[in-house]
């Protein structure tokens, strides 16, 4: 049984006339009559009583009419939902994020997205960068919010914000009163950096900046923080 057979049946049942139903369906009456007869044969019972001036539903036809309408409505709704899902209007997004995303990105992006896609459910997972990349590769996450760079050949990348790299100094440090502090000024100063294992991108960026400035990078501690 095909959905078109149910549409044909409903049209005849509502018009109680093969001629009027055929006009509504934009087909000729004889093919319509053949399709209804095939439907009756498939079900194993008559759905209509044929009369000289039209047709009337049998008891079986009355039962089928109610269910056929429900089935056609459900099929129409399923098509609409599938289209909306394909357009990203409904569904679920699993999002990985780092700590800065919670106050730098989400306050601007999430409300705007929810206004545009109110039927999409969002789930957030606090993960460091390696965990997010792994989750994306395993398709456990739909998207991740991390610091760049990431491998461009493995992921679709969209830059959301730019943040400067700054040095945080004790108030008593000799450079604390300076309006600007260069990389060269920090040469051989004991530094506390994010973990090279968990935050390799930030670690590498700082290392490269010291190398370009021909400054000595002296790492005192590495922190396994939630920076990334």
């Amino acid at each position: 049984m095909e959905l078109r057979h149910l549409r044909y049946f409903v049209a005849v049942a509502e018009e109680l006339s093969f001629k009027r139903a055929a006009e509504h369906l934009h087909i000729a009456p004889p093919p319509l009559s053949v399709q209804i007869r095939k439907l009756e044969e498939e079900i194993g019972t008559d759905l209509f009583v044929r009369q000289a001036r039209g047709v009337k539903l049998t008891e079986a036809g009355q039962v089928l009419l109610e269910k056929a309408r429900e089935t056609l409505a459900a099929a129409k709704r399923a098509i609409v939902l599938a289209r909306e899902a394909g357009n990203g209007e409904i569904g679920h997004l699993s999002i990985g994020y780092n700590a800065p995303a919670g106050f730098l990105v989400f306050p601007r992006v999430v409300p705007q997205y929810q206004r545009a896609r109110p039927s999409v459910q969002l789930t957030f997972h606090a993960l460091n960068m390696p965990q997010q990349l792994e989750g994306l590769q395993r398709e456990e996450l739909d998207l991740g919010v991390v610091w760049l760079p990431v491998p461009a050949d493995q992921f679709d990348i969209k830059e959301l914000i730019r943040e400067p790299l700054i040095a945080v100094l004790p108030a008593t440090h000799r450079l604390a009163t300076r309006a600007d502090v260069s990389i060269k000024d920090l040469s051989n100063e004991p530094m506390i950096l994010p973990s090279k294992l968990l935050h390799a991108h930030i670690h590498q960026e700082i290392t490269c900046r010291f190398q370009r400035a021909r400054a000595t990078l002296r790492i005192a501690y590495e922190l396994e923080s939630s920076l990334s």
Side-chain angles (χ1 to χ4, degrees):
M1 183 184 300
E2 301 178 18
L3 286 178
R4 65 187 178 94
H5 294 145
L6 293 181
R7 286 197 295 270
Y8 293 166
F9 165 73
V10 170
V12 176
E14 292 177 344
E15 296 290 345
L16 294 179
S17 166
F18 278 94
K19 182 180 179 180
R20 290 194 298 271
E23 292 174 353
H24 177 73
L25 295 167
H26 305 290
I27 61 176
L32 175 59
S33 180
V34 170
Q35 294 299 322
I36 294 299
R37 181 60 69 185
K38 287 182 177 180
L39 179 60
E40 290 175 321
E41 291 174 356
E42 183 176 352
I43 295 174
T45 187
D46 289 338
L47 300 173
F48 297 99
V49 176
R50 276 74 172 172
Q51 299 175 324
R53 294 188 177 182
V55 297
K56 70 176 183 178
L57 286 166
T58 63
E59 185 175 345
Q62 292 173 352
V63 172
L64 181 61
L65 178 59
E66 178 184 354
K67 299 303 179 183
R69 284 170 171 164
E70 293 176 0
T71 299
L72 292 173
K76 183 177 181 180
R77 179 59 179 161
I79 292 171
V80 171
L81 291 174
R83 185 177 296 117
E84 290 177 348
N87 294 334
E89 297 172 6
I90 64 171
H92 173 264
L93 284 179
S94 183
I95 304 169
Y97 72 97
N98 53 25
F103 56 87
L104 292 175
V105 177
F106 290 161
R108 293 187 303 156
V109 174
V110 173
Q112 181 179 355
Y113 182 85
Q114 289 180 324
R115 285 193 296 270
R117 299 286 189 270
S119 297
V120 177
Q121 179 183 355
L122 305 180
T123 303
F124 299 91
H125 308 275
L127 302 168
N128 60 42
M129 183 172 179
Q131 290 171 329
Q132 289 192 59
L133 299 185
E134 184 178 354
L136 290 168
Q137 290 173 329
R138 293 184 177 183
E139 298 185 353
E140 297 170 353
L141 295 176
D142 296 302
L143 61 92
V145 184
V146 299
W147 293 114
L148 298 177
V150 297
D153 59 334
Q154 299 180 35
F155 305 98
D156 294 326
I157 301 169
K158 173 68 174 180
E159 183 180 289
L160 298 177
I161 61 171
R162 286 177 176 259
E163 284 293 308
L165 187 63
I166 63 174
V168 179
L169 304 170
T172 55
H173 194 279
R174 62 181 179 83
L175 300 173
T177 57
R178 297 269 295 271
D180 296 300
V181 176
S182 69
I183 294 293
K184 196 71 174 178
D185 293 330
L186 297 173
S187 182
N188 210 35
E189 291 286 337
M191 305 284 291
I192 301 176
L193 298 186
S195 165
K196 184 177 181 179
L197 177 63
L198 296 179
H199 313 294
H201 56 300
I202 293 180
H203 201 286
Q204 181 63 26
E205 175 67 17
I206 295 172
T207 300
C208 288
R209 291 196 183 195
F210 270 77
Q211 290 174 344
R212 289 194 296 267
R214 296 185 179 181
T216 300
L217 176 59
R218 177 184 166 196
I219 302 175
Y221 302 101
E222 289 191 5
L223 300 179
E224 295 183 1
S225 67
S226 58
L227 287 174
S228 177

